Amino acid sequence: MSSGTTVITGGASGLGLVTARHLVKAGQSVVLVGRDAARIRAAANHLRPLAPAGDNAPALRTYAADLGQWSQVRDLAMNLAADAVSVDVLINNAGAAFPRYEQTVDGVERTYAINHHAPFLLTHALLAGGALAPKARVINLSTFVEKRGRLDASDPDVAGTSWNSRFYNQIKVYATSKLLSLLATRELAQRLPDGMSVYNANPGMVKGTAINSNAGGLMRLTAPLFRPFAITPDEGVQTSVWLATTPSAPQPSGGFFSRSQPDSPSPLSQDDALARIVYEKTAALLGIAPMT
């Protein structure tokens, strides 16, 4: 897929902006999504001079949306469809790790809202609105930290509200939200229309991004300890860029990829029965019809 339109959430900074830079230079039309309209426009203005010159220079558009609110995720999908944006690649890059328990306006834990609900809802809303191209690729930013996730396999909490009544551990909440996304992605791969693919991209331990500094809490305090072992943002986005641009859709759909090749996530994330439960419970929570 050497050309096309790629939508990147969390595109105003960090790995989202670095991913966008690589794709713009490669000649892709890029749609940046961010919470702050001014910041996302500034990011787009920074990227425009990097696009290949000529009458057929790729477009670069922006949309503002707070992905922590389900209504704004739905509005984003509706606006993309209304503007006739045909999405060849959707990169669900936006992520968060909050240090304390709080609920969103939708009554769910806010780390779960950004890391699990938003990509699930946006993907399904774009499908329902006909905005995903017939051979679209969906790439969800994942993490090796998902191995630290904690789920009740018989009754997984997909809303995150159970953390209000137990010890709120920032890293475990973050890891569990990503584990849930991995499981839902595994099941979604079995339900997507023929020709479409979905992936989990692990950027690795990346230095110089906002996830740790903005997160606060333990993640911010421990980030300097891992900096000597971390890779650069340009190295961290290579798997996402490869999944988005390689001519033939990589296999397996629903898989976990590191260093531009299939990798093995936690055994729990590969539990097909649990993946089905997580998918169906998440669809019910969000009030959307599960794909069949």
Side-chain angles (χ1 to χ4, degrees):
M1 189 174 290
S2 59
S3 63
T5 297
T6 299
V7 173
I8 305 174
T9 66
S13 62
L15 293 182
L17 182 57
V18 176
T19 301
R21 172 162 53 81
H22 282 266
L23 295 179
V24 167
K25 285 183 175 181
Q28 292 228 2
S29 295
V30 172
V31 177
L32 296 178
V33 177
R35 185 176 57 182
D36 186 292
R39 289 185 66 209
I40 205 73
R41 285 196 301 267
N45 291 335
H46 169 74
L47 293 172
R48 284 193 177 93
L50 305 179
D55 295 336
N56 295 320
L60 185 59
R61 286 179 278 189
T62 65
Y63 291 80
D66 181 351
L67 301 183
Q69 298 184 33
W70 299 346
S71 63
Q72 293 201 32
V73 178
R74 293 188 178 96
D75 286 346
L76 170 62
M78 182 178 65
N79 291 334
L80 288 166
D83 292 343
V85 177
S86 179
V87 181
D88 295 288
V89 180
L90 169 62
I91 302 181
N92 287 307
N93 165 81
F98 297 103
R100 293 174 299 279
Y101 182 87
E102 287 187 30
Q103 289 187 4
T104 70
V105 295
D106 300 297
V108 299
E109 194 280 323
R110 54 184 177 159
T111 304
Y112 280 46
I114 299 291
N115 296 343
H116 175 44
H117 305 153
F120 189 103
L121 180 55
L122 182 57
T123 300
H124 284 76
L126 289 173
L127 271 166
L132 289 185
K135 294 186 178 181
R137 301 178 192 179
V138 177
I139 302 167
N140 295 328
L141 261 287
S142 191
T143 174
F144 62 92
V145 181
E146 61 84 20
K147 292 180 172 66
R148 297 188 63 178
R150 295 292 181 267
L151 276 182
D152 178 351
S154 63
D155 185 22
D157 169 24
V158 299
T161 52
S162 63
W163 291 102
N164 190 32
S165 58
R166 53 181 168 146
F167 177 69
Y168 187 93
N169 180 297
Q170 181 187 29
I171 295 176
K172 286 185 179 179
V173 173
Y174 172 72
T176 305
S177 70
K178 290 294 191 177
L179 172 60
L180 285 166
S181 184
L182 265 174
L183 286 159
T185 299
R186 184 177 184 87
E187 179 64 17
L188 176 60
Q190 308 303 315
R191 302 181 184 228
L192 279 175
D194 290 344
M196 294 186 185
S197 306
V198 62
Y199 307 103
N200 304 283
N202 169 33
M205 188 182 299
V206 183
K207 58 187 173 184
T209 62
I211 181 68
N212 288 323
S213 58
N214 288 351
L218 185 61
M219 291 184 71
R220 182 173 185 174
L221 290 174
T222 58
L225 300 176
F226 299 104
R227 192 170 294 130
F229 311 101
I231 60 177
T232 67
D234 283 300
E235 293 171 317
V237 303
Q238 289 306 308
T239 297
S240 293
V241 171
W242 176 75
L243 288 168
T245 60
T246 190
S248 298
Q251 296 297 322
S253 178
F256 181 82
F257 288 77
S258 303
R259 300 179 183 273
S260 303
Q261 60 185 354
D263 197 0
S264 296
S266 63
L268 190 60
S269 72
Q270 301 178 65
D271 184 323
D272 289 333
L274 181 57
R276 190 174 309 111
I277 293 170
V278 167
Y279 177 90
E280 293 176 350
K281 284 176 70 74
T282 303
L285 175 70
L286 297 171
I288 58 180
M291 299 186 64
T292 57

